[in-house]
Amino acid sequence: MTNRRVFLKSASALALGSVLPFESVFAAAKLTAGVIYVGARGDYGYNQAQAQAAGVIKKLPNVKVVEEENVPETIAVQKSMEAMIEQDGATLIFATSFGYFDPHVLKMAAKYPNVRFAHCGGLWKQGNPSNITSYFGYIDECQYLNGVVAGHASKSKKLGFVAAKPIPQVLRNINSFTLGAQSVDPSITTHVIFTGDWSMPVKEAEAANSLVDQGCDVLTCHVDGPKVVIETAEKRGAMSCGYHASQAALAPKGYLTGAEWDWATPYTLLVDDVQSGKTPPNVLRGGLKEGFVKMSPYGAKVTPEAKKDADAAKAKMVAGDFMIFKGPIKDNKGADVIATGTSHPQTDIVLESMNYLVAGVVGQI
């Protein structure tokens, strides 16, 4: 009888044109979401961070998740997306890799206007299909904090950074890491080696060994799977800061902290919008404050002073009272890139086209 009364009350509310939102009367609509990874879901890095978020939305009411890993950034991803839509009935697709966007997501979004495509990487712009959401986070906030901790830990004052490609997102992380370290000691340098692609385990190992040979005693990276870099640093007796997900288990002695994604936040927001019939935004961003990114717990070698400095900077970031890119800043060729009195908040679109390395970075684009 109680259930019957609830039903009748709900039906009456609808009949009378009640202002109650539709989703408060009926359960969330059934939704199938497809998630596509460029690598293995258990890579201790980029793909694992995305897979952790997929695991969260699997537990949401009326949500089914279909996944496919090791899908290259070729026409293969178009076939995977189409199969999820046509065979599984997916109406929300998470295309998680940077290279999936053009032309693959663009083509599929035009072909399936009633499907929402969520792409990780920040590439959507006016004129692209309106059923695309570009989601990304201000993880350079965490890389700055990595730098603060690394700056305190380093004895050689030489840090190492293994990077995949010199695209704006990677350069922004290298620069933030360096500026964080230089807030501790302006003489600190960051030595960068680019491997050329997102997953190059042999080159990543070679780069990590080369950086240690050059005297770098703290390593970090921006590659899809940080496992090789972190393990190599540990074997060589160097310290490390992680990226994408926590790699603390791989380096029990040298792991200091890490910059982690918390993709469950944008994933959940997008699922909620699609289920409730709302139109998701084309651009979805957030940092520490919004819960898009987070820090790994501090390792045993992190000093109380380092924790104090990093925690203070983090608190200002969460409060919206801290800018990483505040002039004067020169690039590593001596040119002024941010003038005195000029600053760029995290939301400034200018930062998404960064094309320089700051002073103190040893390396070239």
Side-chain angles (χ1 to χ4, degrees):
M1 286 299 294
T2 300
N3 290 338
R4 183 173 181 274
R5 289 192 191 100
V6 171
F7 172 79
L8 290 172
K9 183 178 179 180
S10 300
S12 297
L14 286 175
L16 293 171
S18 169
V19 294
L20 286 173
F22 186 82
E23 59 267 28
S24 72
V25 177
F26 294 106
K30 290 184 178 180
L31 170 70
T32 297
V35 186
I36 305 173
Y37 313 96
V38 72
R41 284 175 289 182
D43 66 351
Y44 282 94
Y46 184 85
N47 296 285
Q48 182 169 312
Q50 300 280 353
Q52 288 170 346
V56 171
I57 64 171
K58 284 178 186 178
K59 299 175 183 177
L60 296 176
N62 292 323
V63 176
K64 176 185 176 183
V65 176
V66 291
E67 300 169 273
E68 188 174 353
E69 57 188 342
N70 297 312
V71 179
E73 296 172 328
T74 65
I75 195 171
V77 72
Q78 293 185 42
K79 295 178 179 178
S80 293
M81 288 188 278
E82 192 155 36
M84 288 177 172
I85 295 166
E86 296 287 355
Q87 297 173 22
D88 300 300
T91 55
L92 173 60
I93 298 288
F94 289 93
T96 66
S97 190
F98 186 85
Y100 287 164
F101 188 76
D102 189 359
H104 313 298
V105 168
L106 292 175
K107 284 187 175 182
M108 289 293 103
K111 185 173 181 178
Y112 294 99
N114 294 323
V115 175
R116 172 59 53 171
F117 292 82
H119 176 260
C120 184
L123 296 176
W124 186 89
K125 60 184 179 182
Q126 291 290 339
N128 290 152
S130 61
N131 55 323
I132 296 174
T133 292
S134 161
Y135 68 96
F136 205 63
Y138 305 128
I139 201 164
D140 56 321
E141 293 178 339
C142 296
Q143 282 286 25
Y144 182 94
L145 300 177
N146 271 352
V148 171
V149 174
H152 277 281
S154 178
K155 299 294 189 292
S156 67
K157 304 304 177 184
K158 295 171 69 175
L159 312 178
F161 202 117
V162 179
K165 300 179 181 183
I167 64 171
Q169 295 162 351
V170 176
L171 300 179
R172 187 168 170 176
N173 278 335
I174 296 168
N175 292 337
S176 295
F177 178 73
T178 303
L179 292 171
Q182 290 175 346
S183 73
V184 178
D185 184 342
S187 70
I188 289 177
T189 55
T190 300
H191 297 246
V192 177
I193 295 178
F194 291 98
T195 63
D197 213 340
W198 298 113
S199 182
M200 303 283 283
V202 174
K203 287 189 175 181
E204 289 158 13
E206 291 173 348
N209 277 309
S210 174
L211 291 167
V212 174
D213 289 342
Q214 293 174 49
C216 299
D217 57 358
V218 183
L219 303 189
T220 190
C221 61
H222 186 157
V223 296
D224 269 7
K227 185 174 185 289
V228 170
V229 173
I230 302 300
E231 287 182 332
T232 302
E234 185 80 350
K235 289 175 183 177
R236 294 292 307 274
M239 294 168 283
S240 60
C241 291
Y243 189 58
H244 292 313
S246 176
Q247 291 91 43
L250 303 176
K253 295 181 180 179
Y255 195 79
L256 298 173
T257 186
E260 299 184 33
W261 295 107
D262 196 354
W263 291 128
T265 300
Y267 271 50
T268 303
L269 290 171
L270 287 165
V271 166
D272 181 64
D273 281 352
V274 173
Q275 280 189 311
S276 61
K278 298 175 186 175
T279 300
N282 294 118
V283 177
L284 186 58
R285 297 284 189 279
L288 284 163
K289 180 180 179 180
E290 294 79 15
F292 279 52
V293 297
K294 61 184 179 181
M295 294 298 293
S296 300
Y298 294 125
K301 290 190 176 181
V302 180
T303 65
E305 186 181 7
K307 292 178 184 178
K308 180 181 177 182
D309 283 357
D311 288 345
K314 180 181 176 182
K316 289 182 179 180
M317 289 175 181
V318 172
D321 190 31
F322 189 93
M323 292 192 192
I324 297 171
F325 295 99
K326 181 178 181 180
I329 293 178
K330 293 182 179 290
D331 68 15
N332 66 351
K333 297 178 181 178
D336 293 320
V337 288
I338 301 180
T340 302
T342 300
S343 57
H344 297 290
Q346 293 294 79
T347 54
D348 194 333
I349 197 70
V350 169
L351 297 178
E352 297 199 15
S353 58
M354 189 171 286
N355 61 356
Y356 58 85
L357 292 167
V358 298
V361 177
V362 179
Q364 59 183 342
I365 301 172

